[in-house]
Amino acid sequence: MKCRKCGGKATVNMRQHKLALCSQHYLEWVPEQTERFIKKYEMFSKNEKILVAVSGGKDSLSLWDILCRLGYQADGLYIGLGIDGGIGYSTESHRLTQQFASERGLTLHIVDMERDYGHSIPALAQATHRGKGKPCAVCGLSKRHEMNRIARDMGYDVLATGHNLDDEAAVLFSNTLSWSDYLLRQEPVLPSSDGLARKVKPLCRLYEKEMTAYALLRGIKYIYEECPFAEGSTTIYYKELLNQLENQRPGAKLSFYLKFLDAKQNGLFSPKDQLLSNLHTCPGCGQPTSAPGLCSFCRMMEKVGSPEI
Ligand code: Q46
Ligand code: ZN
Ligand code: ZN
């Protein structure tokens, strides 16, 4: 297999794009594509301050790397969840993220749930009896809250996450199976609304395996293990199903996602503001919420008696 750009030996063959590239050209292609999506979906400009949510995994660290290579002003935010799972998951992901930032002289903000709120994510889940043994609901809620808080308090224009095409296609599949309201909010860009930073997913059109290849060829040191609580999740099951489809029909995953975006653009779903319109300000933290009174995060913290609330 030969590189389409230089005719040298190809290291990455992307059947879905009918494109094979050598390492050097692949490492140029990924940022070029990302830049194309940033422009196409009007995610942000070079004058804006970007906060990248980094978990220590390949996608978020690669995103941070790509944005810096493209000349964007991107700082990182790491949220320490206090998850061990017998592999020291949080300790190791924190170490790798910190190392990534220090080696490149980048600014990294750190939130530590235990230090800042008095409870790790598993402890919060237990204390609030949410999630039937899995802390994912509490974790998602806390991460969203903290990302918004840091973006707002530190004056960032936009919050970027490392969701790749496989993540987006799996969420889309799940939302479609239940025709969930979340279909209205699934976008590469969620515009800012009072108190909430704009949210963007610059890697949403890049396959997971493309991101793995990028991280490896770039020599990025990331945590290989998934969060121990991800095991057996429905998202992983949907990803496997979509991979089976992709194996038979290369490009099916990308087309599923892109055709959804097109359909939305063409008005298949109702205007996206409808569900966002009945938000009010949480009296505890000042973030917008649809819950009556305190937002879900503040209610959870009130219940466990966090020193912060
Ligand atoms: S939600 Fe659940 Fe993830 Fe939080 S507890 Fe781990 S698996 S990290 S995306
Ligand atoms: Zn080449
Ligand atoms: Zn609140």
Side-chain angles (χ1 to χ4, degrees), residues 145 282 285 295 298:
H145 189 273
C282 166
C285 65
C295 74
C298 289

Side-chain angles (χ1 to χ4, degrees), residues 214-278:
Y214 180 84
L216 292 173
L217 292 173
R218 242 337 244 166
I220 292 172
K221 295 189 193 79
Y222 63 89
I223 184 156
Y224 294 141
E225 283 88 7
E226 293 262 0
C227 168
F229 293 109
E231 209 187 300
S233 69
T234 40
T235 308
I236 292 189
Y237 174 61
Y238 293 150
K239 282 184 178 176
E240 285 166 4
L241 286 179
L242 290 165
N243 280 339
Q244 286 179 24
L245 178 66
E246 179 77 23
N247 284 338
Q248 297 298 318
R249 295 175 41 203
K253 221 186 290 189
L254 184 60
S255 127
F256 176 51
Y257 180 60
L258 292 185
K259 294 214 161 118
F260 159 70
L261 294 182
D262 283 350
K264 243 169 112 161
Q265 189 76 24
N266 295 336
L268 183 63
F269 300 97
S270 47
K272 57 183 172 250
D273 324 335
Q274 267 186 12
L275 290 174
L276 301 171
S277 56
N278 50 4

Side-chain angles (χ1 to χ4, degrees), residues 81 83 89 121 135-137 139-140 143 227-230:
L81 307 170
I83 293 174
Y89 175 74
I121 291 294
C136 296
C139 181
K143 284 195 287 196
C227 168
F229 293 109

Side-chain angles (χ1 to χ4, degrees), residues 20 24 64 73 75 94 99 154 166 168 200 205 207 219 236-238 240 243 257 260 262 270 274 282 301-302 307 309:
Q24 187 207 326
W64 201 6
Q73 305 177 49
D75 295 344
H94 183 186
Q99 183 182 329
M154 305 268 182
D166 294 46
E168 291 304 296
V200 300
R205 289 174 61 158
Y207 282 73
I236 292 189
Y237 174 61
Y238 293 150
E240 285 166 4
N243 280 339
Y257 180 60
F260 159 70
D262 283 350
S270 47
Q274 267 186 12
C282 166
M301 287 304 171
E302 192 182 49
I309 305 294

